[in-house]
Amino acid sequence: MMPSLPHSVLFCCDHNATRSPMAEGVMKKLYGREVYVQSAGVKSDLEIDGFTIAVCHEIGVDLTRHRSRDFNELSDFGDSLESFDLVIALTPASRAMVEEMSRLHHVPVEFWPITDPTGAGENREARLAAYRATREQIRRHMIERFGPPKE
């Protein structure tokens, strides 16, 4: 039996600067307009990471216009936690926050423990390799969970 795609997914991490924007972009690339996808962080105190932009660009995902936002800023875009069919937390802190916020709303929450590539590697190539590994970890989780890409 093929896994079914939810109508809407929210990816969340700590700062909405690396893992969750990467997941948002990869999901849109793999499954197109079949799924409404957004991302948010526990905090939005960092701009999107340049290495994230670079490794996503390699697979045709443009994150240059991404602006980091936190859960409180979701409503600025007309979204709320309970408006998503599925919330996928990529970090322990975002998982804890989503579980607390969703106690009153029955929103399915999944936890995908995704490696944080920030600070990894001694030089540019080693850092890019760490970010690529994170990107591919996210991609594998998606295909395992939602089935083959719709490309």
Side-chain angles (χ1 to χ4, degrees), residues 73-84:
E73 295 168 292
L74 279 175
S75 61
D76 296 345
F77 292 83
D79 293 322
S80 61
L81 193 65
E82 64 272 10
S83 66
F84 290 93

Side-chain angles (χ1 to χ4, degrees), residues 6 20 31 39 42 49 55-56 65 71 73 77 105 111 121 141:
S20 59
Y31 302 102
S39 64
V42 173
D49 185 286
V55 300
C56 285
R65 293 191 317 269
F71 289 105
E73 295 168 292
F77 292 83
H105 313 285
F111 178 53
H141 270 281

Side-chain angles (χ1 to χ4, degrees), residues 1-104:
M1 186 170 142
M2 287 296 297
S4 63
L5 281 170
H7 294 290
S8 58
V9 175
L10 175 67
F11 288 100
C12 52
C13 67
D14 295 349
H15 302 277
N16 194 222
T18 302
R19 289 169 282 186
S20 59
M22 196 182 282
E24 177 184 350
V26 170
M27 182 91 179
K28 288 175 179 175
K29 169 82 173 165
L30 296 182
Y31 302 102
R33 298 179 187 268
E34 291 189 40
V35 183
Y36 175 72
V37 186
Q38 288 296 328
S39 64
V42 173
K43 299 180 243 179
S44 61
D45 57 342
L46 301 174
E47 290 299 318
I48 188 161
D49 185 286
F51 288 106
T52 298
I53 292 171
V55 300
C56 285
H57 180 75
E58 293 173 350
I59 62 166
V61 174
D62 181 10
L63 294 179
T64 56
R65 293 191 317 269
H66 177 81
R67 297 293 166 254
S68 298
R69 62 187 177 153
D70 62 30
F71 289 105
N72 295 325
E73 295 168 292
L74 279 175
S75 61
D76 296 345
F77 292 83
D79 293 322
S80 61
L81 193 65
E82 64 272 10
S83 66
F84 290 93
D85 294 328
L86 177 62
V87 178
I88 300 174
L90 307 175
T91 65
S94 64
R95 177 188 191 181
M97 184 166 210
V98 168
E99 286 175 347
E100 177 63 29
M101 291 172 66
S102 65
R103 285 184 328 153
L104 302 175

Side-chain angles (χ1 to χ4, degrees), residues 76-148:
D76 296 345
F77 292 83
D79 293 322
S80 61
L81 193 65
E82 64 272 10
S83 66
F84 290 93
D85 294 328
L86 177 62
V87 178
I88 300 174
L90 307 175
T91 65
S94 64
R95 177 188 191 181
M97 184 166 210
V98 168
E99 286 175 347
E100 177 63 29
M101 291 172 66
S102 65
R103 285 184 328 153
L104 302 175
H105 313 285
H106 300 290
V107 180
V109 178
E110 292 182 13
F111 178 53
W112 297 358
I114 301 297
T115 306
D116 181 4
T118 60
E122 298 296 317
N123 58 41
R124 179 174 172 75
E125 279 312 308
R127 283 196 179 106
L128 285 169
Y131 278 75
R132 286 181 190 117
T134 295
R135 180 194 68 205
E136 292 309 308
Q137 185 183 19
I138 290 168
R139 188 177 181 283
R140 281 191 306 275
H141 270 281
M142 279 181 194
I143 291 170
E144 186 177 293
R145 172 64 173 83
F146 302 117

